[in-house]
């Protein structure tokens, strides 16, 4: 029975998941994960990132990633649950935005590796730059400003590429390297994303970038899903010749290279173009068409969903990427997620059960009080100077404080994701904090949408494996519907959904304007919001 493998090359670890799919049989055969720090300590990473004196700089090691792939294929090959001969197609997901700089001849090397030796021992001459800047890098502010100026302003770049010039995005990163190390840039023949680099390693040849990850570069035109010539030229000289082509997410790169076949005993399985972790998560959380969003409640909180058209965020903190099904996806990320909830919990000495209890006891709407929980610098909206701001919230009252932090987060999420233009009928909640149903009740009430919980598991890895299923069927002449691809793998937990409470929905609908007024005031862009709060209190009689 055919087996499909998905990888997830994330910041801290490499994971793999194998699925068995045929007719009604749809099961996870096995899943593996290795942490870079623990499995490959000789590269000296911490949480997958190389040490740096400059806190704005974050890079990892592309050699380590290749070594991890070798290790992981070895583990998969040794797993008795996995019938290697049945592996039909392989795809993957990579942390977005990171870039790998390959020297001339590197692709030839990948195609002619000696299976008797580890890959890492054979890539010596392959890298024009030994490190790969990753998405946590924030060192390219000047390059972002230069690119905005060269391309008609930040908003013009957002309209074309889906995002304003953004520090962690690949284009500004390439520009910084080309300027800071012209000799290194001159040695560079190919610039890959984390996703396309891994696909090239597996296929032993050039691999394309898909529109999901291509949109995370500030270099791709959403309208054509191809590189935007003006941005490519403005970014660095001769960049066009260094970028891989952009191709649909279901494109076959080639068969698994002879190296992996001989070294770990796999067949010449189809290697399918890799994508970014967020586009893969879209598939892994079942959001294969517009109308639903996923809310991931983790260290940071993220909301994302499929979009039929590439609508762009007017305030510039949201991002539009290509979707692996075709079409687009919108994503907005908030830095103050669990971190902010945890701060408030600790102030009142509560455990998480106590936090949930406090949430249940305070009235919805916090009496018109608003808390803007910017405990660390916020990215949506951009708040470089951290510090929570409270408007009419009694911070000594544990229940009110807890309620206000959660409401402040979800009101911000609703307001700052409205640009996606998605009518949110249902929310798929994932991430650690999704365990808390009281929290999800507030989410349901603020969005006026049913909330269902999904397995916290690795949705990017699952999404990658499901993309392999889809691409293999398509290449075999069957245009398989996405609902069929995800069927049986992506399902909510077996429990009743969290349903909005009409009275709370009414309060929050009115509270959005108050939140907007408080936020504008806190950002120095609006008057004292007391009048807006008073209007809300008059309109919404408070009962406890
Ligand atoms: C998205 C982003 C992160 C990385 C993490 O824009 O920077 O989600 O993709 O892996």
């Amino acid at each position: 029975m055919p087996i499909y493998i998905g990888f997830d090359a994330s910041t801290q670890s490499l994971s793999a998941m194998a699925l068995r799919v045929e007719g009604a049989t749809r099961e996870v055969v096995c899943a593996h994960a290795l942490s870079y720090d623990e499995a490959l300590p000789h590269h000296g990473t911490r949480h997958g990132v190389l040490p740096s004196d400059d806190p704005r700089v974050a890079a990892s090691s592309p050699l380590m990633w290749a070594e991890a792939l070798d290790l992981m294929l070895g583990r998969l090959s040794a797993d008795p649950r996995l019938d290697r001969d049945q592996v039909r197609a392989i795809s993957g997901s990579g942390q977005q935005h990171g870039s790998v700089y390959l020297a001339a001849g590197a692709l030839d090397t990948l195609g002619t590796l000696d299976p008797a030796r580890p890959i890492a021992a054979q890539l010596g001459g392959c890298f024009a730059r030994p490190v790969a800047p990753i998405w946590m890098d924030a060192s390219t502010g000047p390059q972002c400003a230069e690119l905005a100026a060269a391309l008609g302003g930040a908003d013009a770049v957002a309209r074309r590429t889906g995002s304003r010039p953004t520090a962690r995005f690949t284009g500004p990163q390439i520009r910084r390297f080309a300027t800071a190390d012209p000799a290194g840039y001159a040695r560079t023949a190919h610039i890959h994303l984390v996703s396309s680099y891994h696909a090239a390693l597996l296929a032993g040849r050039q691999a394309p970038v898909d529109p999901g990850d291509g949109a995370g570069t500030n270099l791709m035109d959403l309208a054509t899903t191809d590189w935007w010539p003006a941005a490519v030229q403005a970014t660095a000289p001769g960049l066009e010749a260094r970028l891989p082509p952009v191709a649909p997410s279901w494109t076959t790169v080639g068969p698994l290279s002879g190296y992996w076949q001989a070294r770990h005993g796999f067949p010449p399985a189809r290697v399918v173009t890799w994508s970014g972790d967020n586009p893969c998560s879209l598939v892994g959380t079942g959001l294969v068409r517009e109308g639903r969003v996923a809310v991931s409640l983790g260290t940071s909180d993220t909301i994302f969903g499929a979009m039929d058209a590439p609508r762009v965020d007017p305030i510039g903190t949201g991002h539009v990427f290509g979707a692996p099904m075709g079409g687009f996806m919108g994503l907005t990320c908030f830095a103050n997620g669990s971190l902010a909830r945890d701060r408030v919990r600790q102030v009142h000495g509560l455990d998480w059960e106590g936090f949930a209890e406090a949430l249940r006891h305070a009235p919805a709407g916090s009496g018109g009080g608003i808390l803007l929980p910017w405990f660390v610098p916020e990215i949506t909206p951009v708040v470089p100077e951290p510090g929570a701001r409270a408007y009419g919230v009694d911070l000594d009252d544990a229940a009110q404080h807890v309620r206000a932090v959660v409401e402040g987060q979800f009101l911000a999420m609703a307001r700052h994701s409205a640009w996606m233009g998605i009518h949110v009928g249902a929310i798929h909640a994932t991430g650690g904090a999704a365990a808390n149903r009281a929290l999800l009740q507030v989410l349901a009430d603020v969005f006026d949408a049913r909330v269902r919980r999904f397995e916290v598991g690795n949705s990017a890895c699952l999404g990658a494996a499901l993309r392999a299923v889809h691409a293999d069927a398509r290449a075999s002449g069957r245009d398989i519907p996405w609902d069929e691809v995800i069927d049986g793998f992506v399902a909510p937990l077996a429990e009743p959904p969290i349903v909005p409470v009409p009275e709370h929905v009414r309060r929050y609908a009115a509270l959005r304007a108050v939140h907007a007024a408080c936020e504008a005031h806190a950002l120095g862009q609006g008057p004292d919001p007391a009048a807006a709060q008073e209007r809300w209190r008059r309109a919404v009689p408070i009962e406890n």
Side-chain angles (χ1 to χ4, degrees), residues 254-270:
L256 188 67
S257 80
Y259 175 76
W260 304 112
Q261 292 182 45
R263 185 163 172 78
H264 296 302
F266 286 97
R270 183 188 303 283

Side-chain angles (χ1 to χ4, degrees), residues 11 95-97 135 168 277-278 321:
T11 314
Q95 52 171 312
Q96 293 201 254
H97 318 300
W135 67 281
R168 66 188 189 279
D277 52 359
N278 293 299
F321 302 134

Side-chain angles (χ1 to χ4, degrees), residues 401-427:
H401 197 183
V402 164
R403 182 106 207 163
V405 71
V406 173
E407 289 177 344
Q409 290 180 316
F410 293 155
L411 284 164
M413 192 178 267
R415 288 185 44 245
H416 293 301
S417 60
W419 65 270
M420 292 184 204
I422 302 173
H423 172 76
V424 180
I427 297 176

